[in-house]
Coordinates of all heavy atoms in Angstrom, one line a residue:
I4 N -56.3 32.7 62.3 CA -56.7 33.7 63.2 C -57.0 33.0 64.5 O -57.8 32.0 64.6 CB -57.9 34.5 62.8 CG1 -57.6 35.2 61.4 CG2 -58.4 35.5 63.8 CD1 -58.8 35.8 60.8
Q5 N -56.3 33.4 65.6 CA -56.6 32.9 66.9 C -57.7 33.7 67.6 O -57.7 34.9 67.6 CB -55.4 32.9 67.8 CG -55.6 32.2 69.1 CD -54.4 32.2 70.0 OE1 -53.3 32.5 69.6 NE2 -54.5 31.9 71.3
L6 N -58.7 33.0 68.1 CA -59.9 33.6 68.7 C -60.1 33.0 70.1 O -59.8 31.9 70.4 CB -61.1 33.4 67.9 CG -61.0 33.8 66.4 CD1 -62.1 33.2 65.6 CD2 -61.1 35.3 66.4
D7 N -60.7 33.9 71.0 CA -61.2 33.3 72.2 C -62.5 32.7 72.0 O -63.0 32.6 70.8 CB -61.3 34.4 73.3 CG -62.2 35.5 73.0 OD1 -63.1 35.3 72.1 OD2 -62.1 36.6 73.6
N8 N -63.2 32.2 73.0 CA -64.4 31.5 72.8 C -65.6 32.3 73.0 O -66.7 31.9 73.4 CB -64.5 30.2 73.6 CG -63.9 29.0 73.0 OD1 -64.3 28.7 71.9 ND2 -62.9 28.4 73.6
G9 N -65.5 33.6 72.7 CA -66.6 34.5 72.8 C -67.8 34.2 71.9 O -67.5 33.7 70.8
G10 N -69.0 34.4 72.3 CA -70.1 34.0 71.5 C -70.1 34.6 70.1 O -70.5 34.0 69.1
L11 N -69.6 35.8 70.0 CA -69.5 36.5 68.7 C -68.7 35.7 67.7 O -69.0 35.7 66.5 CB -69.0 37.9 68.8 CG -68.8 38.7 67.6 CD1 -70.1 39.0 66.9 CD2 -68.1 40.0 67.9
H12 N -67.7 35.1 68.2 CA -66.8 34.3 67.3 C -67.4 33.0 66.8 O -66.8 32.3 66.0 CB -65.4 34.1 68.0 CG -64.7 35.3 68.3 ND1 -64.0 35.5 69.5 CD2 -64.6 36.5 67.6 CE1 -63.5 36.7 69.5 NE2 -63.8 37.3 68.4
H13 N -68.5 32.6 67.4 CA -69.2 31.4 67.0 C -70.5 31.7 66.2 O -71.3 30.8 66.1 CB -69.5 30.5 68.2 CG -68.3 30.0 68.8 ND1 -67.6 28.9 68.3 CD2 -67.5 30.3 69.9 CE1 -66.6 28.6 69.1 NE2 -66.5 29.5 70.1
A14 N -70.6 32.9 65.8 CA -71.9 33.3 65.1 C -72.0 32.4 63.8 O -71.1 32.1 63.2 CB -71.8 34.8 64.7
L15 N -73.3 32.1 63.6 CA -73.5 31.2 62.5 C -73.5 31.8 61.1 O -73.5 31.2 60.1 CB -74.9 30.4 62.7 CG -74.9 29.6 64.0 CD1 -76.3 29.0 64.1 CD2 -73.9 28.4 63.9
D16 N -73.7 33.1 61.1 CA -73.8 33.8 59.8 C -72.6 34.5 59.3 O -72.6 35.3 58.4 CB -74.9 34.9 59.9 CG -74.6 35.9 61.0 OD1 -73.7 35.7 61.8 OD2 -75.3 37.0 61.0
I17 N -71.4 34.1 59.8 CA -70.2 34.6 59.2 C -69.6 33.6 58.2 O -69.7 32.4 58.3 CB -69.1 34.9 60.3 CG1 -68.9 33.8 61.3 CG2 -69.2 36.2 60.9 CD1 -67.8 34.0 62.2
T18 N -69.1 34.2 57.1 CA -68.5 33.5 56.0 C -67.0 33.5 56.2 O -66.4 34.6 56.3 CB -68.9 34.0 54.7 OG1 -70.3 34.0 54.6 CG2 -68.3 33.2 53.6
I19 N -66.4 32.4 56.3 CA -64.9 32.3 56.5 C -64.3 31.8 55.2 O -64.6 30.7 54.7 CB -64.6 31.4 57.7 CG1 -65.3 31.8 58.9 CG2 -63.1 31.3 57.9 CD1 -65.3 30.8 60.0
P20 N -63.4 32.7 54.6 CA -62.8 32.2 53.4 C -62.0 30.9 53.6 O -61.5 30.6 54.7 CB -61.8 33.4 53.1 CG -62.3 34.5 53.9 CD -63.0 34.0 55.1
D21 N -61.8 30.2 52.5 CA -61.1 28.9 52.5 C -59.7 29.0 53.0 O -59.2 28.1 53.5 CB -61.2 28.2 51.1 CG -62.6 27.8 50.7 OD1 -63.4 27.6 51.6 OD2 -62.9 27.7 49.5
N22 N -59.1 30.2 52.7 CA -57.7 30.3 53.1 C -57.5 30.8 54.6 O -56.4 31.1 55.0 CB -56.9 31.2 52.1 CG -57.5 32.6 52.2 OD1 -58.6 32.9 52.7 ND2 -56.7 33.6 51.7
I23 N -58.5 30.8 55.3 CA -58.5 31.2 56.7 C -58.8 30.1 57.6 O -59.8 29.4 57.4 CB -59.5 32.4 57.0 CG1 -59.1 33.6 56.2 CG2 -59.5 32.8 58.5 CD1 -57.8 34.3 56.5
L24 N -58.0 29.8 58.6 CA -58.2 28.8 59.6 C -58.4 29.5 61.0 O -57.6 30.3 61.4 CB -57.0 27.9 59.7 CG -57.0 26.8 60.8 CD1 -58.1 25.8 60.5 CD2 -55.7 26.1 60.8
L25 N -59.6 29.1 61.6 CA -59.8 29.7 62.9 C -59.3 28.7 64.0 O -59.6 27.5 64.0 CB -61.3 29.9 63.1 CG -62.0 30.9 62.2 CD1 -63.5 31.0 62.5 CD2 -61.3 32.2 62.1
L26 N -58.5 29.3 64.9 CA -58.0 28.5 66.0 C -58.5 29.0 67.3 O -58.2 30.1 67.7 CB -56.4 28.5 66.0 CG -55.7 27.8 67.1 CD1 -56.0 26.3 67.1 CD2 -54.2 28.0 67.1
F27 N -59.5 28.3 67.9 CA -60.1 28.8 69.1 C -59.3 28.3 70.3 O -58.9 27.2 70.5 CB -61.5 28.2 69.2 CG -62.5 28.8 68.2 CD1 -62.7 28.2 67.0 CD2 -63.1 30.0 68.5 CE1 -63.5 28.8 66.1 CE2 -64.0 30.5 67.6 CZ -64.2 29.9 66.4
Q28 N -59.0 29.3 71.2 CA -58.2 29.0 72.4 C -59.2 28.4 73.4 O -60.4 28.7 73.4 CB -57.5 30.2 72.9 CG -58.4 31.3 73.4 CD -57.7 32.6 73.7 OE1 -56.8 33.0 72.9 NE2 -58.0 33.3 74.7
P29 N -58.7 27.7 74.4 CA -59.6 27.1 75.4 C -60.3 28.3 76.2 O -59.7 29.3 76.4 CB -58.7 26.3 76.3 CG -57.5 26.1 75.5 CD -57.4 27.2 74.5
A30 N -61.5 28.0 76.7 CA -62.2 29.0 77.5 C -61.4 29.3 78.8 O -60.7 28.5 79.4 CB -63.6 28.4 77.9
Y31 N -61.5 30.6 79.2 CA -60.8 31.0 80.4 C -59.3 30.7 80.5 O -58.8 30.2 81.4 CB -61.5 30.5 81.7 CG -63.0 30.7 81.6 CD1 -63.9 29.6 81.4 CD2 -63.5 32.0 81.8 CE1 -65.3 29.9 81.3 CE2 -64.9 32.2 81.8 CZ -65.8 31.1 81.5 OH -67.1 31.4 81.5
S32 N -58.7 31.0 79.4 CA -57.2 30.8 79.4 C -56.4 31.9 78.8 O -55.9 31.8 77.7 CB -57.0 29.5 78.5 OG -57.5 29.6 77.3
P33 N -56.4 33.0 79.5 CA -55.6 34.2 79.0 C -54.2 33.9 78.8 O -53.5 34.6 78.0 CB -55.9 35.3 80.1 CG -56.2 34.5 81.3 CD -56.9 33.3 80.8
Q34 N -53.6 32.9 79.4 CA -52.2 32.6 79.3 C -51.9 32.1 77.9 O -50.7 32.2 77.5 CB -51.7 31.5 80.3 CG -52.3 30.2 80.1 CD -53.7 30.0 80.8 OE1 -54.4 30.9 81.1 NE2 -54.1 28.7 80.9
V35 N -52.8 31.7 77.1 CA -52.5 31.3 75.7 C -52.9 32.4 74.7 O -52.9 32.2 73.5 CB -53.2 30.0 75.3 CG1 -52.7 28.9 76.2 CG2 -54.7 30.1 75.4
N36 N -53.3 33.6 75.2 CA -53.7 34.7 74.3 C -52.5 35.5 74.0 O -51.8 36.1 74.9 CB -54.8 35.5 75.0 CG -55.3 36.6 74.1 OD1 -54.8 37.0 73.1 ND2 -56.5 37.1 74.5
P37 N -52.1 35.6 72.7 CA -50.8 36.3 72.4 C -50.8 37.8 72.9 O -49.8 38.3 73.2 CB -50.8 36.3 70.8 CG -51.6 35.1 70.5 CD -52.7 35.0 71.5
I38 N -52.0 38.4 72.9 CA -52.0 39.8 73.4 C -51.6 39.9 74.8 O -51.0 41.0 75.2 CB -53.4 40.5 73.1 CG1 -53.3 42.0 73.2 CG2 -54.4 40.0 74.0 CD1 -52.4 42.7 72.2
E39 N -51.8 38.9 75.6 CA -51.4 38.9 77.0 C -49.9 39.0 77.1 O -49.3 39.7 77.9 CB -51.9 37.7 77.8 CG -53.4 37.7 77.8 CD -54.0 38.8 78.7 OE1 -53.3 39.3 79.6 OE2 -55.2 39.1 78.5
R40 N -49.2 38.2 76.3 CA -47.7 38.3 76.3 C -47.2 39.6 75.8 O -46.2 40.1 76.3 CB -47.1 37.1 75.4 CG -47.3 35.8 76.0 CD -46.6 34.7 75.2 NE -45.2 34.8 75.2 CZ -44.4 34.1 74.5 NH1 -44.8 33.2 73.7 NH2 -43.1 34.3 74.5
F41 N -47.9 40.2 74.8 CA -47.5 41.5 74.3 C -47.6 42.5 75.4 O -46.7 43.3 75.6 CB -48.4 41.8 73.1 CG -48.1 43.2 72.5 CD1 -46.9 43.4 71.8 CD2 -49.0 44.2 72.7 CE1 -46.7 44.6 71.3 CE2 -48.7 45.4 72.2 CZ -47.6 45.7 71.4
C42 N -48.7 42.5 76.1 CA -48.9 43.4 77.2 C -47.9 43.2 78.3 O -47.4 44.2 78.9 CB -50.3 43.3 77.8 SG -51.6 43.9 76.7
Q43 N -47.5 42.0 78.6 CA -46.4 41.8 79.6 C -45.1 42.4 79.2 O -44.4 43.0 80.0 CB -46.2 40.3 79.8 CG -47.2 39.6 80.5 CD -47.0 38.1 80.6 OE1 -46.0 37.5 80.0 NE2 -47.9 37.4 81.3
E44 N -44.8 42.4 77.9 CA -43.6 43.1 77.4 C -43.7 44.6 77.6 O -42.7 45.2 78.0 CB -43.3 42.7 75.9 CG -42.9 41.3 75.7 CD -41.6 40.9 76.4 OE1 -40.6 41.7 76.3 OE2 -41.6 39.9 77.1
L45 N -44.8 45.1 77.3 CA -45.0 46.6 77.5 C -44.9 46.9 79.0 O -44.3 48.0 79.3 CB -46.3 47.1 76.9 CG -46.4 47.1 75.4 CD1 -47.9 47.5 75.0 CD2 -45.4 48.1 74.8
K46 N -45.4 46.1 79.8 CA -45.3 46.4 81.3 C -43.9 46.4 81.7 O -43.5 47.1 82.6 CB -46.1 45.4 82.0 CG -47.6 45.6 81.9 CD -48.4 44.5 82.7 CE -49.9 44.6 82.5 NZ -50.6 43.5 83.1
K47 N -43.1 45.4 81.2 CA -41.7 45.4 81.5 C -41.0 46.7 81.2 O -40.1 47.2 81.9 CB -41.0 44.3 80.8 CG -41.3 42.9 81.3 CD -40.5 41.8 80.5 CE -41.0 40.5 80.7 NZ -40.3 39.5 79.9
L48 N -41.3 47.3 80.1 CA -40.7 48.5 79.6 C -41.1 49.7 80.5 O -40.4 50.7 80.7 CB -41.1 48.9 78.2 CG -40.5 47.9 77.1 CD1 -41.2 48.2 75.8 CD2 -39.0 48.0 77.0
L49 N -42.3 49.7 81.0 CA -42.9 50.8 81.7 C -42.8 50.7 83.3 O -43.1 51.7 84.0 CB -44.4 51.0 81.3 CG -44.6 51.3 79.9 CD1 -46.1 51.3 79.5 CD2 -44.0 52.7 79.5

């Protein structure tokens, strides 16, 4: 799961299953957020 560096994503009380790997993107880097590319594609259509 790719996550931004929001404080909620660093909460100490979450349990992460062994088969899940968290990949934190660098702070202030929307260019590496997959949803941004997805939105660009929708904008092209519209």
Side-chain angles (χ1 to χ4, degrees):
I4 300 173
Q5 182 179 350
L6 303 165
D7 61 20
N8 272 303
L11 177 65
H12 297 140
H13 290 281
L15 298 176
D16 60 346
I17 44 175
T18 303
I19 302 165
D21 291 336
N22 65 340
I23 299 293
L24 174 66
L25 300 182
L26 177 63
F27 288 93
Q28 66 190 40
Y31 308 106
S32 55
Q34 67 275 13
V35 298
N36 188 339
I38 194 65
E39 297 293 336
R40 287 185 68 186
F41 179 73
C42 288
Q43 286 177 356
E44 290 300 310
L45 287 176
K46 288 177 186 177
K47 286 179 191 176
L48 294 170
L49 298 170

